[in-house]
Amino acid sequence: MFQQLPMLEIDGINMVQTKAILSYIAGKYNLYGSNLKERAYVDMYVEGSADLLTLVLSYFFLDEPGKEKQLKLMRDKALNRYLPVYDKALKDKEFLVGNKLSMADVHLLDTILQVEEFHCDILQNFAHLQAFKKRMCEIPTIKKHLQPGSQRKPMADATYVETVTKVLFS
């Protein structure tokens, strides 16, 4: 539609735009809440973890002094803004919304795993998030996806940064 990626071919549709793709898949597989209020919470949680994930993804495009600053910012925002909210939300339940698996849970797990690539101890003071991560990683399809050799997207490397820079700025 906009001559860009990502694009997903699904159900006879060439879908573009990450949020549209995620919403469609979540709706199709009943991962988007059971009513409008739950969908709003799913969206809020997804957007919050996306904000934190942006700090991770932008790290790879910075020079060395910028990377050092970004690591500190990532840790600070995770510890003081985002993780406390998720930990509190999971205090008395297994999942973030409607007490069933949603797109928000999957997105949060991915964000946690990516932040842990830089700060392996990031969850040390968040018992509910630690339990959440453990539960999520035991879901059979997620467990399989996290195994070595799976199709899990690897962390960015120099080739990725070069390709993205070329596509976006050429």
Side-chain angles (χ1 to χ4, degrees), residues 64-74:
E64 286 309 313
K67 285 180 178 181
E68 205 172 301
K69 183 178 177 185
Q70 190 75 350
L71 284 175
K72 290 176 184 172
L73 180 63
M74 185 190 312

Side-chain angles (χ1 to χ4, degrees), residues 11 26 32 36 91-92 96 113 119 123 127 133 140 144 168:
D11 298 337
Y32 203 14
L36 194 56
K91 182 179 179 191
D92 296 316
L96 289 168
L113 294 172
H119 303 289
L123 295 183
K133 178 187 166 194
K144 182 180 177 184
L168 293 178

Side-chain angles (χ1 to χ4, degrees), residues 2-169:
F2 300 111
Q3 299 177 1
Q4 67 189 44
L5 297 174
M7 184 185 84
L8 173 68
E9 293 180 43
I10 187 170
D11 298 337
I13 305 169
N14 289 333
M15 294 198 73
V16 296
Q17 299 295 345
T18 302
K19 289 179 187 177
I21 292 168
L22 290 174
S23 295
Y24 185 87
I25 292 170
K28 180 175 178 155
Y29 294 102
N30 199 23
L31 298 170
Y32 203 14
S34 57
N35 58 50
L36 194 56
K37 183 178 179 180
E38 285 186 4
R39 278 187 221 122
Y41 275 96
V42 168
D43 286 340
M44 287 188 286
Y45 286 130
V46 166
E47 290 302 311
S49 58
D51 288 347
L52 180 54
L53 193 56
T54 297
L55 297 173
V56 173
L57 299 175
S58 61
Y59 168 87
F60 299 99
F61 296 89
L62 301 170
D63 59 14
E64 286 309 313
K67 285 180 178 181
E68 205 172 301
K69 183 178 177 185
Q70 190 75 350
L71 284 175
K72 290 176 184 172
L73 180 63
M74 185 190 312
R75 185 173 190 82
D76 177 63
K77 296 285 186 186
L79 292 174
N80 298 308
R81 179 175 291 177
Y82 297 104
L83 298 181
V85 170
Y86 293 109
D87 198 62
K88 181 179 178 184
L90 291 162
K91 182 179 179 191
D92 296 316
K93 54 189 181 177
E94 291 187 31
F95 301 106
L96 289 168
V97 179
N99 211 23
K100 67 178 190 171
L101 182 68
S102 74
M103 171 174 64
D105 301 300
V106 177
H107 205 279
L108 176 59
L109 176 64
D110 182 54
T111 302
I112 288 169
L113 294 172
Q114 291 203 45
V115 170
E116 284 181 328
E117 291 285 332
F118 297 96
H119 303 289
C120 61
D121 64 340
I122 201 75
L123 295 183
Q124 72 181 2
N125 295 321
F126 299 101
H128 305 297
L129 280 171
Q130 290 174 32
F132 167 81
K133 178 187 166 194
K134 184 176 180 182
R135 279 191 310 275
M136 289 291 292
C137 288
E138 289 302 317
I139 295 172
T141 52
I142 292 174
K143 186 174 186 173
K144 182 180 177 184
H145 182 69
L146 295 175
Q147 296 300 311
S150 74
Q151 293 183 347
R152 183 172 182 228
K153 184 179 173 183
M155 294 294 280
D157 61 10
T159 303
Y160 173 82
V161 170
E162 181 181 325
T163 302
V164 170
T165 303
K166 186 177 179 181
V167 167
L168 293 178
F169 303 109

